[in-house]
Amino acid sequence: MTRGEVRCLWRATRVPGATEPYDTAHLRVYYPALRSGSDHERLTGIVPARPRDRPYPVVLLLSGVNVPQDSYRRLATRLCHAGLVAVTCDFVAVMPDGATATGPGIDVGAVVPGGYGERATTPLPAALLGALGEIARPDGDTPLAGLLDLDRVALGGHSAGGTLAVQSAQYLPGVRAVFAYGAHTRAATALGWPPDTYLPVRPGVPVLLAAGGRDGVIAASADRYGDTSGGVSDMLADPVARTFDEALPDAAGEHLHVVLPDAGHFAPAHPPDPTTARSFLDDGASDTAVHDTLADFVADFCAAHLDGDAAARCRLHPDDKNGTYPNGARFRRR
């Protein structure tokens, strides 16, 4: 799709099962736009969506803990340039450790022994899809009325948001692809799991697991999972790689594991907000070049699987199953 203007709509939606006052998600819906020059546009700032021969596929992006949604604006804009609509949100809630934070809305009862595998591990994506259904009502007055295809959805996330995306995809209608960065399914011992447990996932769709080769946050969090060794330097031994190898079913070469060797944990967030979250633990890069490389992978993955973009698929699938992409990113497929 030709690069053009990107605009967004603001909305709020209740999250089922959440307790007041922490029961509302505030979201931004980014979309490709084309100015009309109308008086309505001039007075309201609401710009029509760029015309398209069919409704737009949708990408839902779940944030990491205490990473504000505006940190993902550049990534959301890149997705719109690929012909997609992208959704981010801020959802402030009480975390399992009792802290109040914005994040992906973990359902603790769905991630403990005896509860895991019964339902989505977060209610947030379903709430976002409900809000999008209202925005896209054909008889509505939004720029996206009748223009969203909620049967072609990618569910993705960063850090904890990525973990919940991979775990929850199978429970959501319309999901055709899943992506995650800096995320794995290694289970915390505080939730009752034995050390070094990797929770299986059955998303039923292609999965992109991306990681930074210098992820200081994952390394610094190893003791949560009963591991005191630290370090994630070995591509074939770190938690993201082990999730790819041990937790995912085979997908006939459609699953991708991509490692950006110099990237840190916060590569999806540009720029990272130094006043919140744990970017002080990172020793890898999160600069514009690293972010844009990652954003291109995510956009190609979503465009290929949601929109049948043949050029995007060719960039993701060279002839070999293991190798190196441009900019030094390493990949494996299975």
Side-chain angles (χ1 to χ4, degrees):
M1 181 175 181
T2 302
R3 286 181 179 260
E5 187 166 12
V6 174
R7 300 288 291 183
C8 79
L9 303 175
W10 296 86
R11 287 295 186 275
T13 187
R14 300 290 187 188
V15 179
T19 303
E20 292 184 0
Y22 303 117
D23 61 347
T24 304
H26 296 90
L27 54 149
R28 296 180 72 171
V29 182
Y30 296 83
Y31 63 95
L34 184 65
R35 294 193 197 183
S36 66
S38 70
D39 288 341
H40 180 264
E41 178 182 280
R42 174 176 58 83
L43 294 171
T44 66
I46 298 175
V47 179
R50 182 178 291 273
R52 198 173 191 268
D53 58 0
R54 57 176 176 162
Y56 285 97
V58 174
V59 181
L60 306 181
L61 179 59
L62 304 183
S63 70
V65 173
N66 275 333
V67 183
Q69 66 173 317
D70 196 55
S71 294
Y72 303 110
R73 176 162 49 94
R74 189 180 179 96
L75 174 56
T77 299
R78 175 65 183 88
L79 290 165
C80 290
H81 289 321
L84 310 166
V85 165
V87 182
T88 64
C89 77
D90 285 320
F91 178 44
V92 177
V94 179
M95 303 297 289
D97 62 3
T100 301
T102 187
I106 186 170
D107 177 352
V108 176
V111 293
V112 295
Y116 184 74
E118 298 296 321
R119 61 183 184 270
T121 53
T122 171
L124 190 52
L128 298 179
L129 287 173
L132 291 173
E134 288 297 311
I135 289 171
R137 283 175 45 196
D139 60 349
D141 60 357
T142 76
L144 294 171
L147 290 180
L148 297 184
D149 187 346
L150 299 184
D151 288 324
R152 290 187 295 146
V153 175
L155 179 60
H158 170 213
S159 193
T163 297
L164 299 188
V166 173
Q167 293 173 335
S168 299
Q170 64 177 308
Y171 302 100
L172 293 168
V175 172
R176 304 284 187 92
V178 179
F179 65 90
Y181 181 89
H184 55 81
T185 68
R186 201 177 194 185
T189 55
L191 295 174
W193 296 99
D196 207 34
T197 297
Y198 283 81
L199 300 179
V201 290
R202 298 289 182 268
V205 295
V207 175
L208 165 64
L209 289 184
R214 297 172 58 195
D215 189 318
V217 173
I218 288 181
S221 304
D223 54 346
R224 288 181 174 173
Y225 314 101
D227 180 0
T228 58
S229 63
V232 293
S233 60
D234 184 348
M235 180 180 179
L236 299 178
D238 73 58
V240 179
R242 287 191 59 187
T243 296
F244 185 79
D245 291 329
E246 301 173 26
L248 280 173
D250 287 335
E254 293 297 314
H255 292 328
L256 271 173
H257 175 216
V258 177
V259 176
L260 284 65
D262 296 325
H265 189 74
F266 288 88
H270 187 77
D273 183 344
T275 69
T276 186
R278 297 191 292 162
S279 60
F280 55 83
L281 294 174
D282 234 346
D283 60 0
S286 56
D287 56 26
T288 300
V290 166
H291 171 87
D292 287 351
T293 296
L294 173 62
D296 285 345
F297 284 127
V298 173
D300 278 346
F301 184 79
C302 292
H305 292 292
L306 298 185
D307 217 16
D309 188 322
R313 184 175 181 84
C314 285
R315 288 190 292 269
L316 288 171
H317 289 267
D319 291 337
D320 51 344
K321 291 184 68 174
N322 304 289
T324 303
Y325 285 125
N327 300 318
R330 295 174 286 160
F331 73 89
R332 296 189 293 146
R333 293 205 323 264
R334 70 173 185 82

